[in-house]
Amino acid sequence: MEKFGKRSQSPIILIAFVSFYFCIQPVHGRPGKSSVKEDGSYWEMLGKKDLQKAINTKRYEGVAKNVIFFVGDGMGVPTHTMARIYKGQKKGESGEEESLAWEDFPFTGLMKTYNTDKQVPDSAGTATALFSGVKTRSGMLGLDQQARYNVCDTAAIEAATVESIADWGAQSGKEVGIVSTARITHATPAAMYSHSPLRDWEADSNLP
């Protein structure tokens, strides 16, 4: 695990990059079509059940002690849907009725995914947006779009540098770690700590 920031006994911010199949854990799925009559009353029952669950969800207003940021790299809605169906079909059901572990979390949401210069984004620009809240050009890490893609201009890079959640954690005296199933210099984990106008500059030998 890569670690940086002042070491202390403070809470930990942990950022993990994992493939989606680690998250396909057994959860209570909705009954398959083979065992339940899916008529109007069935769907009404499910709707009421989901609504009641939302109403009863406890809200936490305090400050989180620890933060773990999991990223299923490349896991968009189609991959998410495929995983759900596959999990259900492995249980002998049609698949669509199944649910994944995070679908039972009390709070979920969707976000728009794009780069400032491309509709179809890459991991560098999208990971920068995830970790800093700032969208940027495709292929750039830890920089806003003031920087020029693939241009080593130190003044421009300094001006375009954005901070990530890891920086915020370290500045708050927390311990920060990064765990990755890919190499630590790959685009998604690198967006947490690097500031580069080209994601492929992973070593000195790659620099222009």
Side-chain angles (χ1 to χ4, degrees):
M1 179 173 72
E2 293 290 326
K3 301 180 70 176
F4 60 93
K6 183 178 179 181
R7 182 174 179 80
S8 69
Q9 298 302 315
S10 303
I12 297 173
I13 293 182
L14 176 64
I15 304 93
F17 309 93
V18 296
S19 299
F20 76 89
Y21 51 79
F22 288 115
C23 299
I24 308 179
Q25 298 297 331
V27 297
H28 179 67
R30 292 174 175 173
K33 293 180 179 178
S34 59
S35 59
V36 175
K37 181 180 179 181
E38 296 185 357
D39 56 9
S41 61
Y42 168 80
W43 295 109
E44 182 179 348
M45 178 271 295
L46 287 183
K48 288 181 178 179
K49 182 179 178 182
D50 289 343
L51 180 60
Q52 194 61 50
K53 179 182 176 182
I55 292 172
N56 294 336
T57 296
K58 183 178 179 180
R59 294 184 60 87
Y60 293 93
E61 305 292 346
V63 177
K65 181 179 179 181
N66 299 300
V67 176
I68 302 177
F69 197 141
F70 283 95
V71 179
D73 199 356
M75 193 179 65
V77 173
T79 307
H80 185 153
T81 302
M82 176 190 69
R84 182 196 304 115
I85 294 173
Y86 177 67
K87 178 185 174 186
Q89 290 181 345
K90 287 192 70 176
K91 295 166 65 174
E93 301 174 349
S94 63
E96 290 84 351
E97 305 87 353
E98 190 54 66
S99 63
L100 300 175
W102 54 83
E103 292 180 302
D104 289 328
F105 288 176
F107 302 102
T108 59
L110 293 174
M111 64 181 66
K112 294 181 179 179
T113 306
Y114 61 93
N115 294 139
T116 56
D117 59 343
K118 291 187 177 181
Q119 289 183 334
V120 180
D122 85 314
S123 296
T126 51
T128 297
L130 279 173
F131 304 143
S132 70
V134 177
K135 288 190 180 293
T136 190
R137 302 181 193 277
S138 176
M140 299 204 313
L141 295 163
L143 304 171
D144 64 28
Q145 68 170 1
Q146 296 181 82
R148 290 184 294 166
Y149 175 75
N150 197 22
V151 175
C152 188
D153 181 338
T154 54
I157 291 172
E158 183 176 355
T161 292
V162 296
E163 293 183 338
S164 73
I165 187 175
D167 296 311
W168 304 332
Q171 291 165 9
S172 299
K174 300 182 187 299
E175 291 187 331
V176 179
I178 300 175
V179 178
S180 177
T181 56
R183 59 186 180 275
I184 204 67
T185 55
H186 208 270
T188 301
M192 186 62 68
Y193 62 85
S194 67
H195 308 283
S196 173
L198 182 63
R199 59 181 286 175
D200 294 331
W201 294 355
E202 298 187 44
D204 290 345
S205 59
N206 301 133
L207 298 176

